[in-house]
Amino acid sequence: MKRSIIYLVISVMVLLASCSKEDSISLQSDSGKLVSIDSEESYTPRELASAIANSTFSKLAGFGGSASGMITESTLRQLEDKARYPLDTLYAHREGVPLLFYKRSWHIESYTFKYLSVSSTGSPVILSGRVTMPMNDYDAPHQVNSLSLCSHPMEINAGVPSNSLQPNAVRALFNSAVIEPDYQGYGANFGSVYPGLSFLTLGRQMMDCAKAAIEVMREHGVTLASDYYSTAWGYSAGAPASIGLARYYDEYATSADRELLRLKAVSTSCGDYLVDEMLLYFDKDLSYNAALSRFIMPMLLAVPRSTLGGYEVKDFMPSWAMQTKVEYEGMSYTLYDAMSRGMFDVVLEAYSDRQLKDILAEDMCTDDGHLDFNNLKTLAFINALHKLSDWGDWMPSMHIYMTHGRGDDRMPYEQARLFYAMKAASGKMHFKDLKNPVTSLLMGETHAALCTTMMIAPLKYEDPAKVFEMAN
C-alpha cells in the first residue's frame, strides 16, 4: 500500500513533466517500476480454457457459442492434459476419454497491474498490463521456465489485459509467465496518444511491462529458473510492437535490462511495419477502407511535429472531421478533439468504410480519390510517415519469424515482404506465406482469419520456431 502511494505521487509529478523523443529513449530511472496490483484471478486448467473461450478475441473471431469447442475441447484439452502430465504422448489424448489417477498439483493465477513507462509523446506515463502465471497448489515457491510477451490486435486490445484473458494466456500451462501490455490510451491506461506507429517507444513500453510483471511474480512467490528466456508474440498492430521491442532491446536497453529479459525470439503475424508504404498501397488499391479508417487517423496523431514541414496535424484532416460533433460520456467533442483525447472507439466508428479522399484533407487528393503527389502537403505527410517507420540500420540479434497472407484485406502483404527484405541480411529473418484452410473456410481469407490462425497456433507449441514451422 505504501509503495502504491509513493509511486502514484511520483506519477502525478512526472505526468506534469515533458521531454523530447530522444530523452524518452534514454530515460531509465523509474521506468518499469510497479505502481499497483489491481486485480487477481485464479483458474484451474479447465477454468482457464473456458475463460479464454469466452474472451473478447474468441467472440470476435467467431468462436463463441457452439464453435468455441474448436478451442476449448480440442487444442486446450490437450494442453490441460499436458499440465496434468508433462508427457508429449498425452497430446494423443482424445476428447471424452477420462484421465485416471489425476491429482492436480498447480493452478493458474492472473494479475492486472499498473507501471511507470514513457509515452509515445516522450512524457512519463502510467500504463497497465496483465501477467498470467502457473502457481503451486501447495505452499512452496513456483519456478517458471520462460516469459512470453504478447501484443494483440487493436480490435481486442481495449480488453487486453484489462477485461478478459486472451488465447496466449493458456501458455502458462507450458510453465511460462504470460505478460500482456495494454496499448497507451486503451484499457485502464492513462494517456491518450495512439502508440501503434511509434514502434520503438512501444517496444520500450513492452520492456517496462515485463519488468513490472516480474516484480508482481516475485511478490507472489514465483521465481525464474536459472536458464529462463523470453519470447515475444505480436499480431496485427502488435507485430511491429514486438519487433520494436527487439530493436529497443538491441540498441537502447541497459545491460541489466537485457540480462533480465533474455529475449530469444520474436514471432509476428500480419503487421504494419512500414506505414508510408502502407499509405501508397492504400492509394493504389482504394478497397482498403477498413485499414484506412483504423490507421490513417491515428497516423495523424503519431506524426512528430518536427517532421510536418511547417504544417499542423489539423492541416491534414478533412473539414468535416473538424466540424462533426460526437457524444462521449455525456460530453460533445469534434472528431479532432475526440481523437486527441484518445476516444478511438468513437473516432473509428465515425471513420468506418470511408475512402481515402474522405479521411485526408480535401486538397491532398485528386478528384478520382487518389493521393495528389503534386501537393506539397501530401508530400510532407508521406515524408513524416516515412520517418515514423524508419528502422534505420538496425539488424536484429535474435530470430524473427514473420507470417503474412496475400489475402490480407487490412495490412498490405507487400509492405511486410519489403520490411523482411530490408532486414534479411541479418540472417535472423524468416518469412512464410500464411494460409489456413480451416480459418479461411470459417472466416474467409481475411486479416482476421490470418491473425486467428497464428493466435491459435501457440496453443499447441511454445517455441516460435516450431510455430513458424507448423504454420499452415
Side-chain angles (χ1 to χ4, degrees):
M1 182 66 173
K2 182 178 179 181
R3 182 196 60 210
S4 298
I5 294 175
I6 292 173
Y7 280 122
L8 284 173
V9 172
I10 293 175
S11 303
V12 172
M13 295 173 62
V14 298
L15 284 170
L16 297 177
S18 64
C19 55
S20 69
K21 186 69 174 179
E22 289 76 15
D23 291 336
S24 73
I25 296 301
S26 60
L27 182 65
Q28 298 289 347
S29 56
D30 290 315
S31 192
K33 294 292 182 66
L34 180 64
V35 172
S36 63
I37 299 175
D38 302 326
S39 68
E40 174 183 353
E41 301 160 3
S42 182
Y43 304 91
T44 65
R46 171 49 38 184
E47 290 169 343
L48 181 69
S50 177
I52 291 172
N54 291 303
S55 69
T56 307
F57 162 79
S58 298
K59 293 175 181 177
L60 288 177
F63 293 122
S66 59
S68 65
M70 178 178 177
I71 295 178
T72 58
E73 299 303 332
S74 177
T75 304
L76 293 186
R77 181 59 182 268
Q78 294 172 2
L79 286 172
E80 180 188 16
D81 295 343
K82 188 173 182 64
R84 293 169 172 174
Y85 302 100
L87 300 173
D88 290 340
T89 55
L90 285 176
Y91 273 115
H93 171 65
R94 298 282 183 178
E95 177 186 351
V97 179
L99 290 175
L100 304 178
F101 311 113
Y102 158 60
K103 181 179 180 181
R104 181 166 58 88
S105 61
W106 54 297
H107 61 282
I108 305 298
E109 292 189 1
S110 189
Y111 299 86
T112 59
F113 58 91
K114 292 188 180 73
Y115 62 98
L116 294 180
S117 189
V118 177
S119 78
S120 52
T121 57
S123 301
V125 68
I126 298 175
L127 299 178
S128 58
R130 178 188 285 268
V131 58
T132 304
M133 53 195 176
M135 297 280 285
N136 285 322
D137 284 343
Y138 45 88
D139 187 17
H142 190 100
Q143 196 172 77
V144 298
N145 296 330
S146 65
L147 304 174
S148 300
L149 283 71
C150 306
S151 193
H152 297 284
M154 296 302 295
E155 287 86 344
I156 64 171
N157 212 75
V160 179
S162 300
N163 296 334
S164 64
L165 293 170
Q166 302 305 320
N168 274 286
V170 80
R171 296 175 61 224
L173 298 178
F174 284 118
N175 202 30
S176 179
V178 182
I179 301 168
E180 299 170 293
D182 271 340
Y183 292 134
Q184 183 184 338
Y186 284 72
N189 285 339
F190 295 90
S192 61
V193 179
Y194 176 98
L197 304 171
S198 304
F199 302 143
L200 190 57
T201 301
L202 191 52
R204 164 69 177 275
Q205 293 175 351
M206 291 181 69
M207 169 77 80
D208 291 340
C209 185
K211 291 164 65 176
I214 291 173
E215 192 172 342
V216 174
M217 293 163 56
R218 288 171 176 165
E219 288 200 7
H220 291 86
V222 176
T223 60
L224 298 166
S226 60
D227 58 348
Y228 79 93
Y229 59 90
S230 299
T231 55
W233 306 77
Y235 314 95
S236 190
S242 297
I243 296 182
L245 170 64
R247 184 185 176 189
Y248 181 82
Y249 179 91
D250 281 343
E251 293 192 332
Y252 296 96
T254 64
S255 56
D257 284 350
R258 285 194 293 271
E259 173 57 27
L260 180 66
L261 194 61
R262 301 184 189 180
L263 187 60
K264 173 184 175 183
V266 176
S267 174
T268 71
S269 181
C270 302
D272 52 320
Y273 310 98
L274 302 169
V275 292
D276 55 327
E277 292 292 335
M278 286 183 63
L279 180 65
L280 297 180
Y281 284 117
F282 295 160
D283 176 63
K284 183 171 64 175
D285 184 354
L286 296 178
S287 65
Y288 276 101
N289 293 341
L292 288 169
S293 66
R294 296 178 186 277
F295 288 96
I296 295 295
M297 286 299 292
M299 283 178 191
L300 295 175
L301 275 186
V303 172
R305 303 300 186 268
S306 61
T307 65
L308 292 179
Y311 294 100
E312 298 291 333
V313 172
K314 61 183 180 181
D315 294 332
F316 299 107
M317 299 185 67
S319 56
W320 72 266
M322 300 298 294
Q323 301 166 2
T324 301
K325 296 282 188 176
V326 293
E327 298 296 322
Y328 191 86
E329 296 183 351
M331 300 290 288
S332 180
Y333 303 91
T334 66
L335 280 181
Y336 175 72
D337 289 336
M339 183 177 69
S340 300
R341 293 171 181 267
M343 304 170 186
F344 298 115
D345 51 347
V346 174
V347 173
L348 295 182
E349 181 179 355
Y351 269 77
S352 62
D353 297 324
R354 289 186 179 269
Q355 295 285 348
L356 183 61
K357 62 182 178 65
D358 299 321
I359 291 175
L360 296 176
E362 287 80 357
D363 60 346
M364 294 175 66
C365 294
T366 60
D367 292 339
D368 59 0
H370 291 275
L371 292 172
D372 183 359
F373 292 102
N374 294 316
N375 185 295
L376 293 179
K377 188 192 298 185
T378 303
L379 298 179
F381 184 60
I382 294 173
N383 181 63
L385 295 184
H386 174 72
K387 292 182 181 300
L388 271 178
S389 54
D390 181 5
W391 293 90
D393 296 329
W394 166 72
M395 291 290 176
S397 66
M398 72 289 294
H399 288 282
I400 295 180
Y401 299 92
M402 299 176 62
T403 59
H404 210 112
R406 296 176 184 273
D408 196 322
D409 59 344
R410 184 167 300 163
M411 303 292 191
Y413 169 87
E414 293 84 353
Q415 57 88 33
R417 286 292 305 181
L418 180 58
F419 175 75
Y420 163 76
M422 290 168 55
K423 303 301 176 184
S426 66
K428 301 290 187 179
M429 301 295 292
H430 312 269
F431 192 99
K432 177 178 282 190
D433 285 4
L434 186 64
K435 183 173 183 179
N436 185 288
V438 176
T439 52
S440 296
L441 178 63
L442 292 175
M443 305 167 65
E445 191 65 23
T446 63
H447 178 77
L450 295 166
C451 285
T452 300
T453 296
M454 294 308 294
M455 292 185 77
I456 294 176
L459 306 186
K460 290 185 177 181
Y461 306 105
E462 178 188 15
D463 181 60
K466 186 68 173 178
V467 171
F468 182 79
E469 177 187 343
M470 301 303 296
N472 294 329

